[in-house]
Amino acid sequence: MVRDRTAEPADLGYDVCYVNGFQTQPQDSAAFAADHPELLVQTGDGPLADPGWPDELLFDTSTAAKRQALVELVGPWVEGCADDGYDAVEVDNLDSWTRSGGALSADDDAALAVAYAEVAHRAGLAIAQKNTPELAGRLREAGFDFAVAESCAVFDECDAYLAHYPVLLDVEYTDELGADGFAELCRDSDRPPQVVLRDQDLLTPDDDGYAFETCGD
C-alpha cells in the first residue's frame, strides 16, 4: 500500500512511502519558493511550474551542489518514512527534466535519484523507481530495488521495467484504460503480475468516483 510520507503506514502488507523528490508538493510550494529559491528552476517570471501540475515547482538538479542541498532537505523525509515503519519509499517526478525546458537533464535527475537511493538504503528502506522507463537499466544497476509505473500498459512500457526489475507495480487509471480495458489486461498472460486500477484523483472509498481493483478481484 502506497501512502504519502505525511500519513501513517496502512499496515496491510508491504507499505510504500510516497515522497515528491523532484518537485514541491502544492501545499508547500509557496514556502519552499520563499525559503529556497536557489533550489528551484527559475525563469524570467519566477519559479518554473510543472505544466501538468501547475501548483508544483521543479527542483533545480543541475549542479552537484544543488543536488546535495536537496538531499539535505529531502533526505530527512525519506528517513522519516523509515521511522514511521514503512518498508520502502517511492520518489516521484524523476522525469522532471522533460518538463524543464532544457534547464535540466536526465543525468541531473538520475544523479539525484541515486543519492536518494543511498539515503533510503542507509535508513533500511527499499526504494522504487517511479515511472521514467528509459532510466530503468541505469537505476537498477545503481541499486534501485523495484519499480512503480503509472499506465505502463496504456503506453506499452511495462516490458521496459520488467527487463530490469524483478518486481513491478503497475497502476492503471479508470479514465485511461477503463473497466473493460482493465479486464482485458487482466486476461493477458504477459501483463505485470501486480496491477491495480485506480481513479485518477486517488479518491477515498467514501468518495463518488473511487475505484480500486486488482486482477482477480
Side-chain angles (χ1 to χ4, degrees), residues 14 50 52 55 74-75 77 82 92 100 110-111 113 118-119 122 127 129 131 165 170 182 195 200 206 208 214:
Y14 193 76
D50 183 328
D55 292 333
V74 177
W77 304 347
D92 200 13
S100 72
E118 292 170 353
V119 173
R122 284 198 300 269
I127 187 168
Q129 175 182 336
N131 294 328
Y165 286 103
D170 173 36
F182 186 70
V195 184
Q200 187 70 250
D206 293 333
D208 291 337
T214 62

Side-chain angles (χ1 to χ4, degrees), residues 73-86:
L73 287 171
V74 177
W77 304 347
V78 174
E79 293 163 348
C81 295
D83 293 341
D84 288 341
Y86 281 94

Side-chain angles (χ1 to χ4, degrees), residues 99-113:
R99 301 181 292 278
S100 72
L104 309 175
S105 71
D107 288 344
D108 296 331
D109 281 4
L112 182 57

Side-chain angles (χ1 to χ4, degrees), residues 32-42 60 66 69 73:
F32 196 98
D35 294 341
H36 306 287
E38 76 285 359
L39 298 182
L40 296 173
V41 176
Q42 296 289 342
D60 187 346
K66 290 184 178 185
L73 287 171

Side-chain angles (χ1 to χ4, degrees), residues 99-190:
R99 301 181 292 278
S100 72
L104 309 175
S105 71
D107 288 344
D108 296 331
D109 281 4
L112 182 57
V114 171
Y116 288 150
E118 292 170 353
V119 173
H121 288 155
R122 284 198 300 269
L125 295 170
I127 187 168
Q129 175 182 336
K130 177 72 172 289
N131 294 328
T132 322
E134 60 268 39
L135 293 183
R138 181 174 178 174
L139 294 186
R140 174 62 174 157
E141 188 172 315
F144 275 68
D145 301 292
F146 64 104
V148 176
E150 294 175 295
S151 308
C152 74
V154 168
F155 295 109
D156 195 24
E157 295 173 339
C158 300
D159 287 346
Y161 299 103
L162 291 170
H164 301 283
Y165 286 103
V167 175
L168 167 65
L169 172 61
D170 173 36
V171 182
E172 302 290 334
Y173 292 105
T174 52
D175 62 341
E176 294 176 339
L177 194 62
D180 291 342
F182 186 70
E184 182 178 350
L185 175 62
C186 288
R187 292 192 294 268
D188 185 348
S189 60
D190 293 328

